Amino acid sequence: MTSPQIGLYPLVQNETIKIMKKRRFLVVLLILAALIPIFTYAQMKVAQNNQKQFGNQDWRLVNQQKINDYTNRLGSSRVPEEWKKMMRVQVRVLQYYLDKNVNPESPNGVTFTVGFLRNAVGLFIPLMIMVIASDLVSSEHSTGTIKLLLTRPVRRWKVLLSKYIAMVFYVSLTVFATAAMCYLISGLVFGYGGWNIPIFSGFKVIGTEVDFSKVHPIPQWLFLIMEMGLVWVSALVVGCMSLMISVLVRSTAAGMGIMLAVLIAGTILTNMASSWETAKYLFMVNLQLTDYLSGTLPPIEGMNLAFSLNVLLVWTIAAVAVSFWSFTKKDVLN
């Protein structure tokens, strides 16, 4: 008589508890608690320096100074052409905010959170996700628990699916915790207002020009939700890739090393691969999804939000398929 199959819910519950017991998520929270105050302090010093330089906190003077700095650097022959392209786009976006009399960087907790997520989506948050997801399977081999797990009356695909579901839960929790801690900590310095400040979205970069035809103001709370959604997508892709590496490589250290190298390579390629058009099909070059909301020049010409989402979707499907195929077919007991 065969034993009854274990349901999916107990497996997911077990995986969630195992991740919590490893204290990886606690490490993530501690890193956030340590670094966010540092970034908040740095932002405060920037605001104080602007006040000393201009004698007040008039954001128009700050924006105009940025435009002048970019314009002056555009005339320098020592500035690479790729940097000049980014500067031309930034000049047009900054001028647009000046013309509309809207401060894009009004100092408050919401603005700081928006800026932090935008800067963290390419490397910082993926590294946090990697810490959680890169040993979900490989650690089972190193501790020997994989043999005990697979001798239970449960199909292998259910075991791996439960790990994916637990990973998605912690990815969501990490993104939410990052935003919440940013707002709560920075709000102590900049205040907790700013939810209804208008921010412009819909910028479309074409070459070195910016299309403003579809630009429209939205409240900052809605912009933050949109940004968190894109950050979540990028983090989820990194989580799926990390879990795939964890299935393929039995050593947790090796898996982390591979993902760390890939993520760092993606950061380098994002800044240097504008002339290598094929690089736009690499998943790590497409992680900066939030840049499309603010009108930042894409790393490679021809990229847009729809393109990056499709590339990330293909990579995610491939990673999940490889994971399930390898986990269900390989002799994982040896």
Side-chain angles (χ1 to χ4, degrees):
M1 182 177 179
T2 60
S3 302
Q5 285 285 318
I6 298 175
L8 185 60
Y9 177 76
L11 292 173
V12 174
Q13 188 178 42
N14 182 54
E15 292 299 329
T16 304
I17 294 173
K18 283 197 292 186
I19 294 175
M20 185 61 70
K21 284 185 176 181
K22 292 176 185 176
R23 299 183 179 179
R24 293 291 177 87
F25 183 66
L26 177 60
V27 170
V28 169
L29 294 180
L30 290 176
I31 292 173
L32 291 172
L35 293 182
I36 291 176
I38 296 175
F39 294 128
T40 301
Y41 178 77
Q43 188 68 34
M44 182 185 68
K45 295 301 291 185
V46 170
Q48 290 176 350
N49 290 336
N50 288 336
Q51 185 176 9
K52 289 179 181 178
Q53 182 177 358
F54 300 104
N56 54 49
Q57 291 183 326
D58 190 350
W59 66 272
R60 298 172 187 82
L61 294 177
V62 178
N63 262 26
Q64 188 61 57
Q65 184 61 51
K66 289 181 180 179
I67 292 174
N68 294 339
D69 290 342
Y70 283 137
T71 303
N72 291 334
R73 294 176 66 186
L74 284 171
S76 173
S77 59
R78 292 178 295 180
V79 177
E81 186 59 35
E82 294 304 320
W83 291 12
K84 288 184 178 181
K85 288 182 180 180
M86 292 186 287
M87 291 177 190
R88 292 188 189 103
V89 171
Q90 286 303 307
V91 166
R92 286 164 174 76
V93 173
L94 289 171
Q95 188 61 54
Y96 187 85
Y97 275 97
L98 275 178
D99 294 341
K100 297 297 182 179
N101 196 33
V102 174
N103 183 3
E105 298 180 1
S106 177
N108 54 69
V110 183
T111 302
F112 177 88
T113 304
V114 167
F116 185 91
L117 291 176
R118 181 173 62 247
N119 291 308
V121 66
L123 185 60
F124 182 75
I125 291 179
L127 288 176
M128 299 298 100
I129 300 301
M130 182 198 72
V131 169
I132 296 173
S134 59
D135 73 333
L136 290 180
V137 176
S138 58
S139 63
E140 302 279 9
H141 290 283
S142 60
T143 59
T145 54
I146 189 70
K147 296 180 180 180
L148 176 63
L149 181 64
L150 294 183
T151 54
R152 301 169 66 188
V154 58
R155 295 185 181 276
R156 288 189 180 186
W157 68 265
K158 278 190 177 182
V159 174
L160 188 58
L161 180 59
S162 67
K163 291 181 180 294
Y164 266 101
I165 294 174
M167 181 270 293
V168 171
F169 171 75
Y170 277 100
V171 165
S172 305
L173 204 56
T174 300
V175 173
F176 177 79
T178 302
M181 293 179 70
C182 278
Y183 177 69
L184 293 174
I185 294 174
S186 65
L188 294 173
V189 177
F190 302 115
Y192 294 106
W195 290 101
N196 292 314
I197 292 177
I199 187 168
F200 289 100
S201 183
F203 296 99
K204 185 177 181 180
V205 180
I206 304 174
T208 59
E209 298 297 324
V210 183
D211 181 7
F212 297 104
S213 61
K214 295 184 180 180
V215 175
H216 57 283
I218 59 176
Q220 196 160 223
W221 65 264
L222 180 57
F223 187 89
L224 177 59
I225 293 176
M226 293 166 59
E227 191 175 62
M228 288 179 64
L230 293 178
V231 171
W232 181 84
V233 171
S234 294
L236 182 62
V237 174
V238 173
C240 290
M241 297 301 298
S242 299
L243 210 161
M244 180 192 69
I245 298 297
S246 181
V247 172
L248 298 177
V249 180
R250 297 190 178 189
S251 169
T252 298
M256 283 189 172
I258 292 171
M259 280 305 300
L260 180 62
V262 168
L263 293 173
I264 293 176
T267 302
I268 296 173
L269 284 172
T270 300
N271 296 321
M272 299 179 61
S274 57
S275 58
W276 181 25
E277 188 174 352
T278 311
K280 66 183 180 181
Y281 297 104
L282 300 174
F283 83 92
M284 57 276 200
V285 177
N286 290 273
L287 293 177
Q288 295 277 165
L289 295 176
T290 56
D291 284 352
Y292 296 115
L293 294 179
S294 56
T296 303
L297 188 70
I300 301 174
E301 191 171 350
M303 293 176 63
N304 53 47
L305 180 58
F307 174 85
S308 291
L309 288 174
N310 284 326
V311 169
L312 293 178
L313 177 62
V314 171
W315 276 91
T316 302
I317 293 174
V320 173
V322 170
S323 299
F324 275 94
W325 178 85
S326 178
F327 192 78
T328 55
K329 298 298 183 182
K330 283 177 62 177
D331 184 7
V332 297
L333 296 179
N334 293 329

